[in-house]
Amino acid sequence: MPYSSSLTDEEWRILEPLLPQILPPKKQTRPPNWTKREILDGIFYQLKNGYHPARSRLSP
């Protein structure tokens, strides 16, 4: 289930071709755990909702 901050398919079609221009080439040593779209969705989620220490597993 996508969040309201998740990219739509149309937004992804616009952004995906731009990624090689802004991301440095990287030697692929193993398959990634997450897709670039999932990483961007996570970044956009954090930007929209902010960081909440009470929800963090790191907080005491």
Side-chain angles (χ1 to χ4, degrees), residues 32-51:
N33 291 331
W34 301 280
T35 65
K36 289 181 173 89
R37 185 175 184 168
E38 290 171 326
I39 292 169
L40 284 175
D41 279 344
I43 292 168
F44 293 142
Y45 178 86
Q46 285 297 133
L47 288 172
K48 180 179 179 188
N49 297 301
Y51 173 71

Side-chain angles (χ1 to χ4, degrees), residues 4-48:
S4 62
S5 58
S6 296
L7 293 168
T8 64
D9 290 338
E10 184 179 342
E11 291 168 333
W12 180 242
R13 278 192 292 274
I14 294 168
L15 282 176
E16 186 178 25
L18 301 174
L19 292 178
Q21 296 174 21
I22 59 173
L23 295 175
K26 181 180 168 187
K27 180 181 175 185
Q28 186 99 23
T29 56
R30 62 184 171 140
N33 291 331
W34 301 280
T35 65
K36 289 181 173 89
R37 185 175 184 168
E38 290 171 326
I39 292 169
L40 284 175
D41 279 344
I43 292 168
F44 293 142
Y45 178 86
Q46 285 297 133
L47 288 172
K48 180 179 179 188

